[in-house]
Structures are given as C-alpha cells and as structure tokens.
Amino acid sequence: MKVLVFLALFGLAFASVKHYNGFQVFRALPKEEAHWKAIQDLENGGNFDFWKISGKHADIMASPTRIEVLRNFLEERSIPYERIVPDVEDMITKAAQEPKVSQGPRSTRYALTWDNYYGFDTIKEFCFELAASYPQMVTTTVEGQSHEGRDMILVKISNGGAAKPAVFVDGGIHAREWISPASVTYFMRELVENYAAHPELVNNVDWYFMPVINPDGYQFSHDSDRLWRKNRRPNEDGCRGTDMNRNFGFHWNEGGSSGYGCYDTYHGGAPFSEVESQVVRDVILANADQIQAYLTVHSYGQYWLTPWGWTSDYPEDYPELFALASDAVDALTAVEGTRYTIETSTNALYMATGGSDDWAKGGAGVKYSYTLELRDTGFYGFQLPARLIMPTAVETWEAIKVVGNFIGGMKK
Ligand code: 0X9
Ligand code: ZN
C-alpha cells in the first residue's frame, strides 16, 4: 500500500512538470505590411506562444501538432522564416545540465551566487542577509503577499539622512525571464558589498529594489513549467495567471493585450486586479516624491525601451529619456561590445498596454521610466545559460551606474 501511495505521489510529481518534447521555435521575418498583419492575426489567434516580436522578426513556438500549421501559414503568405530551436525540451535540458562555471562573487552568509539560477527562497534569503549584515545601509521589508502567499520583498539601500533622489528597480515580472532577478540581485550586491568602489552611488541616491515581483510565477517556472510567463492566480476563464505587464492602470486594455484568461498576455479582470501589481503600485506611490527613475528588468532582445507602449507617439520629453538611455547603453556596450537598441516600446516591438513602465511614467509621474530587455537576441532566449549571468549582470551594472550617477546629480 505504502509503495502504491509513493508511486502515485511520484507519478503526480513527475506528471506536474511540463515537457516541451518536439516543440520548435521559428523566427518569421516579415517583409511587408501584409506579413506583419498576418503575424498579428496569428498571435491574436492564441494557438502559438510568441516568445518575442520586434520590428524585425517574430520568434514563435509551435507544439508538435501545430508545426505544420505554422509552416503552412507562413509559406502560403510567402513570409520568410527559419527554424531557430529544433527541440525546446532539448534546449531546456541542456541549459539545466550545463556544467556550472565558478566566476561570480560568493558569500558564506547566503547561498545565492551568480553562477547559477536560483529559486525564490534563495533570493529571499539573500535579501534578508544583506539587511542583517549591513543594517546601516540596507532595509528589507515585506510589502505584502503574492496570491500563493510568498513575500513581496522590498530592499531599500540608503545611508540615511534626508530623502535623496531615488531609483526604483524591479525584476521577475515575467516568470521565465530568469536573467532578470539574477541581474537585479547582482546590482544590489554591488551597491552594498562593493560600496567602497563607488560610494557616491549610495551617498547621493536612495535605491529601491524588488527583485522578484511575480514570485509565484517565478517559482512555478523553476518547479513545473520553464516557459511560464504570468502570475498564478486562477482566473475567470478557468486558466491560471494574468500577465502582470498588462495589468497596470494606465491606458489599461487599450490594445496589445488579451481579454482571455488562457492567453499569455491576459490583462486581468480590471486594472491592478492582481495583488502583486497592487503591491508594486503602492510602493512606488508611497515614494513617488523621491523616485526619479524606474527600471523594470526583462529579457530578451537587448533593448533599452522608453514609454510609450500604449501609443506610437513619443513622450514629449523623449529627447531627455533618450539621452540618458544612450549614455547608459554606451557604458554597457563598452564592456564587451553587446549592442542594444534604444526606442519607445511601441516603435521597437509592438503596442502593448497596461505595462508597468507606462504606468510609472504616466500614472506615478516618474520621468525616467525604462524597460530593459537583457541578453540575448534569441539564440538562447529565455534559456540563457548560467555561464552568461555574470557577463550580462556586469555589463548591465555599468548602465545602472550611469543612471544612478545621473539621478544622484539631480538638483534637490
Ligand atoms: O511584452 C512585454 O511585456 C515586454 N516584452 S517581454 O518579451 N519581456 O514580455 C515589453 C514591454 C514594453 N513596455 C510596454 N509595452 N509598456
Ligand atoms: Zn518580460
């Protein structure tokens, strides 16, 4: 009997991991307006997971039964395409099995390193350890609970005194974009544990970090479905999850999001319907007088995006946003030549409303609001190997420093 129960539980646990055997990813390269229109229709149809759409191409994942449907669709319309991932499961397995190279910093006080990707609890431990070891500089608080009861962690890095101009950084809004929390935690570590290398960054700026703002989705992508994107709340349509980056309350549900809860870009039942986006909103609003820059860290594509995502119009202060982005990207590229595109998100990618960046600027009045899409450009995509965490975090940190120094130099 015990054996049977064990086998049943084992079977359940095994069955609960989503596998992607035979799934393939195709890169479509539309050449004309009609091609783009067809790609848009295909996405709205909801039968394919669009890993990425940019102004140049669309990376589309097809399940084994849909591969031929996708190829026919593209061929009938003469849309050029190439296969970029021959087997998604293979790619996920290879990324997990890759030997870990020891190259980043490590500590005896916490388990987190930057040589591997870690689950939510390891990141949480790091956040609290940082505060315990550097109480004069770091305050870690729990700002609420996610739907499944995980802590929504806020780490404030400040050397006290009067409130300074502040930078707010979040990560992990999209579960599968693992390089995001990995990089954001690296920035936190650099500010604190390497304070002496750049004291002005903490002396002149207050920093707010929320490294994993979708903790349930993030953990689910570690345990059960590597390609999960949304949060995990059961929704009105019998599926789970809202795309948190379609749920913010500025021009919410005005295009580029889905009203159907089984789709990856489901915008939720109302603006800020999700407890996780509510918490982020409330933290930003509570500190809105201070916060001059909002950085939300995603992957992939190597874009430094400015608002707006709800219109193709440029914000009136775009030249200023572009100038700072350009200095930041120059510093990033100087490290080892990684190239980024700077654009508004509608013009670089697609229109998508309800994004946190648009809300931070339009709703909370944070002038310098950016979405960063970190490495790579699609060779590994979301499965960026762990050996590339350090190179990615290190180069991006150069850009973050530029933003910090700029904000720190602002008139008070
Ligand atoms: O679509 C998104 O949410 C972001 N790209 S991702 O591949 N990481 O999902 C881009 C968001 C850009 N900002 C807005 N559209 N507001
Ligand atoms: Zn994302």
Side-chain angles (χ1 to χ4, degrees):
M1 182 63 188
K2 270 185 187 158
V3 174
L4 278 179
V5 171
F6 172 78
L7 280 177
L9 286 174
F10 181 79
L12 261 181
F14 189 72
S16 69
V17 176
K18 175 151 186 180
H19 291 280
Y20 287 90
N21 300 83
F23 282 63
Q24 300 191 340
V25 182
F26 294 85
R27 173 163 286 182
L29 299 138
K31 292 280 169 270
E32 53 198 55
E33 205 43 45
H35 291 171
W36 282 111
K37 166 92 182 52
I39 293 291
Q40 207 57 62
D41 291 346
L42 194 70
E43 192 193 14
N44 295 339
N47 285 322
F48 298 95
D49 180 351
F50 277 63
W51 281 16
K52 182 64 58 181
I53 308 185
S54 72
K56 301 189 189 85
H57 47 69
D59 297 348
I60 311 165
M61 180 169 77
S63 65
T65 53
R66 296 230 161 89
I67 289 170
E68 276 320 299
V69 180
L70 177 60
R71 293 174 79 118
N72 290 339
F73 181 93
L74 298 170
E75 279 164 22
E76 277 162 18
R77 289 161 185 79
S78 308
I79 303 175
Y81 70 92
E82 63 202 25
R83 193 176 63 181
I84 57 169
V85 183
D87 188 274
V88 174
E89 182 71 16
D90 200 42
M91 190 183 199
I92 293 171
T93 317
K94 279 201 182 111
Q97 287 173 346
E98 186 204 7
K100 299 294 167 292
V101 194
S102 179
Q103 51 182 342
R106 43 188 70 237
S107 166
T108 51
R109 293 178 290 104
Y110 48 78
L112 190 71
T113 72
W114 290 269
D115 299 335
N116 203 355
Y117 295 106
Y118 293 89
F120 176 72
D121 286 343
T122 306
I123 295 176
K124 175 173 157 179
E125 179 209 37
F126 163 76
C127 293
F128 281 100
E129 262 309 308
L130 217 52
S133 301
Y134 300 87
Q136 296 86 348
M137 219 194 299
V138 184
T139 314
T140 298
T141 52
V142 176
E143 297 296 316
Q145 259 76 40
S146 65
H147 174 74
E148 291 178 350
R150 291 187 180 82
D151 289 339
M152 297 290 294
I153 296 167
L154 171 68
V155 178
K156 181 176 180 184
I157 300 175
S158 164
N159 65 3
K164 305 180 179 88
V167 177
F168 181 102
V169 185
D170 68 41
I173 192 170
H174 287 144
R176 62 195 178 185
E177 298 165 11
W178 287 4
I179 189 61
S180 161
S183 298
V184 172
T185 49
Y186 181 81
F187 310 153
M188 294 158 63
R189 197 211 77 95
E190 262 298 310
L191 279 171
V192 176
E193 299 197 342
N194 205 11
Y195 167 82
H198 31 60
E200 70 288 350
L201 283 174
V202 178
N203 296 346
N204 300 335
V205 182
D206 286 345
W207 296 81
Y208 294 92
F209 288 97
M210 296 190 77
V212 192
I213 61 172
N214 172 14
D216 300 345
Y218 180 72
Q219 193 54 42
F220 188 71
S221 73
H222 278 263
D223 295 339
S224 304
D225 182 351
R226 178 63 187 86
L227 292 172
W228 190 257
R229 170 180 168 96
K230 303 186 285 181
N231 73 358
R232 290 291 299 158
R233 188 177 65 78
N235 60 43
E236 298 72 17
D237 294 313
C239 289
R240 274 180 189 263
T242 293
D243 183 348
M244 300 257 292
N245 212 31
R246 301 290 182 275
N247 190 238
F248 279 70
F250 185 72
H251 291 275
W252 177 83
N253 186 18
E254 289 186 16
S257 65
S258 171
Y260 181 44
C262 299
Y263 286 2
D264 251 355
T265 54
Y266 178 50
H267 50 57
F272 294 115
S273 55
E274 307 308 303
V275 65
E276 297 89 352
S277 52
Q278 290 165 18
V279 170
V280 176
R281 172 196 64 192
D282 294 346
V283 169
I284 292 176
L285 286 181
N287 302 288
D289 292 351
Q290 254 194 303
I291 299 173
Q292 311 293 341
Y294 170 76
L295 306 173
T296 180
V297 182
H298 292 242
S299 72
Y300 58 93
Q302 297 171 198
Y303 292 97
W304 192 288
L305 301 171
T306 81
W308 305 109
W310 69 273
T311 168
S312 56
D313 291 351
Y314 285 74
E316 102 221 339
D317 54 356
Y318 183 73
E320 291 165 84
L321 268 73
F322 184 88
L324 176 57
S326 167
D327 288 348
V329 163
D330 283 351
L332 186 158
T333 305
V335 178
E336 52 171 299
T338 307
R339 302 183 71 87
Y340 267 61
T341 304
I342 307 167
E343 241 309 351
T344 73
S345 52
T346 302
N347 291 303
L349 308 177
Y350 38 77
M351 186 209 273
T353 59
S356 66
D357 50 359
D358 279 8
W359 175 81
K361 185 167 180 62
V366 180
K367 181 179 175 78
Y368 293 96
S369 174
Y370 298 110
T371 292
L372 278 53
E373 299 273 6
L374 305 187
R375 289 197 198 183
D376 57 7
T377 56
F379 186 79
Y380 294 114
F382 304 118
Q383 282 82 228
L384 193 74
R387 71 185 144 78
L388 296 177
I389 296 172
M390 274 304 287
T392 305
V394 165
E395 69 187 9
T396 314
W397 169 238
E398 292 303 315
I400 304 296
K401 282 199 282 186
V402 169
V403 173
N405 278 320
F406 177 82
I407 298 300
M410 283 172 95
K411 297 269 171 295
K412 279 150 217 154

